[in-house]
Each structure stands twice: as C-alpha cells, then as structure tokens.
Amino acid sequence: MKRTLFIALLCLPVWLYAQTNCEIYKDGPHNLACQLYDNAIEYPQGSKTSQQIFLESIKACPTYAPSLHEMSVPYLKRGDFYTWKLLIDRAVKADPQYLSQRGWCLFKFLRDFENAYADLKRLYTINKGQPGYTGDGDYDLRIIMALSQREMGNNKLAMQYFNECIRDHEKQGIVGLFDYLHRGVTNFKLKNYNAALTDLLLETKKYEKLADTYYYLALTYIKLKQPETGIKNLLKAKELYTKTGYHRNDPYCESPDQVYLADIELALRKYKGR
C-alpha cells in the first residue's frame, strides 16, 4: 500500500473538544451560551443539529467566542470562506486569541499572506512573542509568520522568525517536524548554500524518509559544485516519492515547499547529463 504522507490531516483544522466549566460565567447569557456550546459539541461537527445549537448559543450571547468560532469551521471546510470570515471575525472581536485560527487559515486556505501575517503579528505582540500553534499542531505560528513573509518576498525578515522559533525549540528539544526544511529552503533562496545544506541535513535527521528534503538537498549540492552527490539525492528523492510514497501531499491544499514528481524528474533531466 502506498504510504503517502498526509500533512495536517487533509489540511483541515482539528480541535479537540472538551466540556467547558460553565460555572466560571456568573452572568446568565454567558452561562447559557456555554451550556449550549457543550451541548452542540456532542453532535458531529457541521451537522444540522450541531449548527442549530451553536446558533442558539450565539443568540443567547452574541459575543460568546467559542461558539462563533466552532460554528465557522464547517463553512471553512466546505469552501464557504465568506460565511467563515463573517463568523471568525466576530470570534476575534470577542476574543483576540482567535487571531491564531484566523491567521493560520488565511495562510493555509486563502493564501492571504499579508493579512495572515498581520493577524499573527498582532497575536505575537499580545502574547509577548509566543503566539501559539496552528490548529492542527504542526507548526509554531512563528513559522507561519516566517513563511508568510517569505511568500511576500521578505526573506530576511522571514529568517528572523525562523531563527527565533527554531532557537527556542532547540533549547527545549522540540523542533517542529518541518522547521529545518522550511528554513533550509529559505536559505537556498537567499543563496546561503552552506547554511541551507546544514538545515536540510538536520531535516533528514528529523525525518529521514521525506522525498521533498532530498530534492532540495540535491539542488543545494549542485550549487556547491558537488553534482554527483546532487544526482544521488535526486535519485533518492524519486525512489522515496514513487516506491514508498514518502512525500508531502494533501488533497485540498499545496503544502509549503511541497515537491512533485515532475520537479524531481525535470531536475534529473537537467543535471544528469552534466
């Protein structure tokens, strides 16, 4: 069976449901909204019953952010970004911590890098440099800030966020699964080939069977005038991609720095005869 690596659980946000202690809300509207929220999450996400109860919760307290947020998620998954945005904007207004979800989803689903960064930078300031993680848990949001800046052409500012985040995580021994890959690719774009090589080799230690990493390693070795090593890495990337299926893939979204088989084969045709 092909073992394709699915990133971010089909690129859909995942939130763990837990009953809320509604007793923390002393006023009636908030308390009722909380109880209705707890009732709604007992039903399948996006079901008619669940959405109707969330609507009742919001009617009881129009500023109850958890219900506003949770009601928005099915619209996001269905591609109704307009309705999602109306609801998530109200959630953010009620509780700025939901900037994390709005910013991440603007980056992931809408490729709105400018507004994604603006949301996450605001949260970064509010939380004193610790904006938190993406809804799927794959990334520290500083990595998303870095990638947003990179996509806007601001590679040097992107590197500042990469370095800050990775340095913090190295101290704790919890570097993200793809953090070295993204910083390595960014170093490659900046023509810092030795730094790119270091990062990409670190990525192979983090996840040794990812075709995408070996593709970028190959390009880096070629730039460092080691074409034979480059070709070996391209061949390894192709093998991992075709025979074992270890590559980044998502049926809904293109993942950052994702590589396709066509990219690998094109590079092999270009460099193998040299």
Side-chain angles (χ1 to χ4, degrees), residues 25-230:
Y25 299 107
K26 303 304 180 184
D27 63 291
H30 271 90
N31 188 277
L32 177 58
C34 178
Q35 292 183 47
L36 288 166
Y37 171 89
D38 281 350
N39 188 6
I41 62 176
E42 295 295 325
Y43 296 90
Q45 187 184 66
S47 66
K48 182 178 180 180
T49 301
S50 176
Q51 291 293 85
Q52 285 178 334
I53 299 173
F54 280 130
L55 185 59
E56 291 176 21
S57 173
I58 294 167
K59 286 180 179 178
C61 181
T63 59
Y64 191 66
S67 289
L68 288 163
H69 164 254
E70 197 55 48
M71 190 173 179
S72 78
V73 175
Y75 293 105
L76 177 71
K77 292 183 176 183
R78 294 167 186 157
D80 183 351
F81 300 124
Y82 177 78
T83 305
W84 165 76
K85 186 71 163 46
L86 290 176
L87 289 164
I88 196 67
D89 284 355
R90 289 174 63 187
V92 168
K93 186 175 181 180
D95 183 353
Q97 292 303 315
Y98 284 100
L99 286 163
S100 64
Q101 302 301 335
R102 189 174 72 181
W104 171 54
C105 292
L106 286 171
F107 172 89
K108 188 80 171 177
F109 290 90
L110 296 174
R111 298 296 192 260
D112 185 352
F113 304 116
E114 183 176 356
N115 284 311
Y117 175 78
D119 274 357
L120 299 180
K121 175 63 174 177
R122 182 180 160 197
L123 186 61
Y124 178 93
T125 301
I126 292 170
N127 291 353
K128 299 179 180 179
Q130 300 294 328
Y133 285 81
T134 56
D136 56 18
D138 277 355
Y139 291 106
D140 184 305
L141 286 167
R142 287 174 290 180
I143 298 295
I144 303 300
M145 292 171 70
L147 289 168
S148 295
Q149 284 297 323
R150 192 185 77 183
E151 293 302 315
M152 289 190 287
N154 303 321
N155 287 328
K156 291 185 177 179
L157 181 55
M159 285 302 299
Q160 291 180 27
Y161 287 115
F162 279 129
N163 291 338
E164 175 190 320
C165 183
I166 291 173
R167 184 170 54 246
D168 286 352
H169 286 178
E170 284 176 335
K171 292 176 183 177
Q172 303 171 58
I174 54 170
V175 176
L177 188 57
F178 306 110
D179 293 0
Y180 289 127
L181 170 65
H182 298 314
R183 189 172 70 175
V185 173
T186 308
N187 270 315
F188 182 87
K189 291 175 182 288
L190 287 168
K191 300 183 179 181
N192 298 329
Y193 300 123
N194 286 312
L197 181 63
T198 298
D199 276 335
L200 294 169
L201 288 173
L202 285 169
E203 182 64 34
T204 64
K205 301 264 193 274
K206 191 78 181 172
Y207 184 15
E208 65 177 344
K209 293 183 178 181
L210 187 62
D212 311 63
T213 305
Y214 291 97
Y215 169 80
Y216 290 112
L217 258 179
L219 299 187
T220 303
Y221 277 119
I222 289 167
K223 289 294 185 181
L224 291 171
K225 303 188 185 306
Q226 299 180 51
E228 291 184 3
T229 306

Side-chain angles (χ1 to χ4, degrees), residues 15-34:
W15 290 277
L16 297 177
Y17 298 134
Q19 292 290 324
T20 310
N21 177 16
C22 296
E23 296 306 314
I24 64 173
Y25 299 107
K26 303 304 180 184
D27 63 291
H30 271 90
N31 188 277
L32 177 58
C34 178

